[in-house]
Every structure is written in structure tokens, then in C-alpha cells.
Amino acid sequence: MGLKGFVEGGIASVVAGCSTHPLDLIKVRMQLQGENHVPNPNTQVLRPAFAFNGATMAQETLHIPAPAPPRVGPISVGVKIFQSEGASALFSGISATVLRQTLYSTTRMGLYEVFKQKWSDPDSGKLPLGLKIGAGLIAGGIGAAVGNPADVAMVRMQADGRLPISQRRNYKGVVDAITQMSKQEGITSLWRGSSLTVNRAMIVTASQLASYDQIKEAILDHGAMKDGLGTHVTASFAAGFVASVASNPIDVIKTRVMNMKVEPGMAPPYSGALDCALKTVRAEGPMALYKGFIPTISRQGPFTVVLFVTLEQVRKILKDF
């Protein structure tokens, strides 16, 4: 297998990433909804009441918090992007997606196959679920560390259109994004949120790849379906659901940390992942960690289906090489 596992995984990942990019962009925009709404940011100060008590006059001040911004669904977000920014905006940051999938997914998919081969039972050729999860955790962590610069660039390019025109970064492409970040914020900015990226990638890879293999094995072992397209679609969609549930909270925090704008001489909005999580929960409630879940599953489902169906077809094509 060796190098072939990396090539197969890389081709399948790029195809899946490009085909589901608009859904990923909508997910990022939804995860950033309400980010600037904190418990008491813009209070209205009203002084309506003057209570007379004999010769004294007391002035009463009322602080009324600004209302929370309305939350909209994925279809509304997509339509708004289309209307205000044009159809091409749905593919903002696609160059970063291609680079990210080439670096991150090629690495994780290839390493997972290497571990599977080394750890599988020599007689049955099968790998216990615990070892599948372990292989996914290690492969996902290494892949995320390799692909983090492209991940940061992708999040920023996808989120740029929601900013006021004066605050937009207007990156020309993934290379320009990485170059500007390095010059303006230092080379370390390319690994901003890397701990979150690694944690998320470990969870996604372990839940996605391990569950796909496990569900596919169960379907075949019980004779429910033959090893064909129906089995691949069923197992991959189930794997996408498992990965979405497991990874969404970390994904929300990762998106916000990566997207934060750090002004020179100013404290960053978040000091780290835990600070971002606490501020998000305090300001928007615990369910804010599942913001964008519908587009996440809407994207993760098709992404995982395209990924594994393409992977199985690529394996057939390259089996003699």
C-alpha cells in the first residue's frame, strides 16, 4: 500500500472538498453568527424617571442590553450570500480548500491506511474498533498539524464577505493569504488555533474513518448488502453523522479563534480555546457550540459519501498499480 494509500486518499479528499465547499462556507458563516454579541456590550442608557421625595430628587438610570441578533438558517445564509456577494462568493477560499485537502486529508488518509495494514490481524485481515480509533486519532493529529496554515487561510477567506468592506482582508488566493498573515501577524499566525485543529482532526478522523470501516464490515458480515455502491453510501453517511456530532463544538471554537482579528497593541478577542469556549457559552448559551450543526451535517454527510465512494472507485482503478 504505502504511497498508494496517500494518493488514493488525496484524490478522493480533493474531489469531496471541492464538491461540498459552498456548504462548508455556509457552515463557517453560521458559526460566526452572534460572535460580537456579548452579555453587556452596547447597553442603552435611559434616564426617564425623576422621583420627587420632599426636597430631594433621585435620578434613576436604566441599562437595557441590546437585543441578540436574529439567528437564521443555512438556506437563508446561502441566499443572502448569493444576493449580496454573488454566486462566486459561495466558492470563496476554494484554493485554500484544495491546499488543505492536499496537505491534511492526504496525510490522514494515507497514515490511517498504513496503521491499518500494520495493526490488522494477519489471519482475518481485520482491525478491532479500538485500534481503528487509535489509528484515526494519530493520523488525524499529524494531518492537522501539516495542514493548519491552509485551514486558517480557508476560514478567513470564507468569512471575509461578512465583514464591513473597510475591514475585509481581500486575499487574492491561498498563497496571498498565507503571505499576508506571515508578514502582518508573524509566521506563528499560520498555526493559530492549531491545538483546536489537531483536536478536531483527531476526533473527526477517528469517528469518520473508524465508523465507516466498522459499519461497512458489519453490513458485509451480516449479509445485509453486497460490497457495492449501496454499502458504501450507507456506511459513509452514517460515518458523516457520527463525525458531525462529535466534532461540532470544537469546530465552532476553532472557526472563531482562527477568524479573530488581532489589532496591533490591542489584546486579542480570545486568549485561547478555553477562553473562546467560555465567552461563547456565557454570551450565547451552551447550544452555541452546536451552531451550524445543520450545515455541518449537510456538508459532512455529502462530503463523507463523496469521499468514500470516490475512494472506493479510485482503489479499483489503481488496484493493479
Side-chain angles (χ1 to χ4, degrees):
M1 194 76 172
L3 184 62
K4 195 164 77 166
F6 289 88
V7 174
E8 292 169 348
I11 293 171
S13 298
V14 170
V15 171
C18 290
S19 60
T20 58
H21 183 83
L23 294 170
D24 195 46
L25 184 141
I26 291 170
K27 176 201 72 175
V28 166
R29 296 287 183 92
M30 288 189 70
Q31 288 174 339
L32 293 170
Q33 282 179 14
E35 183 182 20
N36 297 324
H37 180 71
V38 290
N40 295 300
N42 300 311
T43 55
Q44 288 181 300
V45 180
L46 305 177
R47 308 182 193 280
F50 292 90
F52 292 90
N53 183 10
T56 63
M57 182 176 70
Q59 182 173 313
E60 183 180 344
T61 302
L62 301 178
H63 293 274
I64 302 177
R71 295 179 180 179
V72 293
I75 295 175
S76 300
V77 171
V79 170
K80 184 179 178 182
I81 293 169
F82 179 81
Q83 290 175 338
S84 61
E85 302 171 48
S88 61
L90 292 170
F91 289 90
S92 296
I94 196 164
S95 59
T97 290
V98 172
L99 180 61
R100 177 178 180 265
Q101 295 298 341
T102 303
L103 296 175
Y104 158 61
S105 287
T106 300
T107 303
R108 74 181 184 118
M109 299 285 285
L111 285 176
Y112 180 76
E113 289 301 320
V114 169
F115 293 140
K116 262 178 65 178
Q117 278 206 328
K118 288 188 177 295
W119 298 346
S120 291
D121 183 274
D123 298 322
S124 66
K126 293 184 179 180
L127 189 69
L129 179 59
L131 289 179
K132 285 175 187 160
I133 293 171
L137 290 171
I138 298 169
I142 295 171
V146 171
N148 201 82
D151 207 4
V152 178
M154 183 186 72
V155 166
R156 289 191 174 198
M157 291 170 74
Q158 288 177 334
D160 213 34
R162 68 183 282 275
L163 297 171
I165 294 174
S166 60
Q167 295 179 23
R168 290 180 187 176
R169 299 175 176 109
N170 295 316
Y171 298 134
K172 298 182 181 71
V174 63
V175 175
D176 181 50
I178 290 173
T179 303
Q180 283 196 43
M181 279 189 284
S182 301
K183 287 179 179 176
Q184 295 170 7
E185 302 172 51
I187 196 77
T188 56
S189 67
L190 298 177
W191 274 270
R192 179 173 293 154
S194 59
S195 62
L196 287 165
T197 309
V198 168
N199 287 336
R200 176 189 177 275
M202 291 171 72
I203 290 171
V204 167
T205 305
S207 56
Q208 186 186 65
L209 302 189
S211 60
Y212 174 77
D213 281 347
Q214 195 71 17
I215 293 166
K216 180 183 168 185
E217 282 177 16
I219 291 172
L220 296 177
D221 289 346
H222 289 83
M225 285 188 277
K226 293 181 180 179
D227 189 2
L229 185 62
T231 298
H232 302 157
V233 171
T234 303
S236 57
F237 194 84
F241 181 80
V242 173
S244 299
V245 172
S247 67
N248 205 87
I250 293 177
D251 202 25
V252 170
I253 298 165
K254 176 183 78 76
T255 297
R256 294 188 172 197
V257 170
M258 285 183 169
N259 187 59
M260 70 177 175
K261 195 165 187 176
V262 182
E263 301 289 348
M266 299 287 288
Y270 309 117
S271 61
L274 182 60
D275 182 53
C276 177
L278 291 173
K279 284 180 177 176
T280 299
V281 171
R282 284 173 189 156
E284 304 164 55
M287 288 310 294
L289 296 176
Y290 274 91
K291 271 188 175 178
F293 180 75
I294 298 301
T296 293
I297 186 61
S298 300
R299 183 259 179 188
Q300 192 70 259
F303 174 87
T304 310
V305 170
V306 175
L307 174 69
F308 287 115
V309 168
T310 305
L311 180 63
E312 298 283 4
Q313 298 309 308
V314 172
R315 280 176 178 167
K316 288 181 182 177
I317 294 169
L318 299 180
K319 69 180 179 181
D320 296 325
F321 287 89

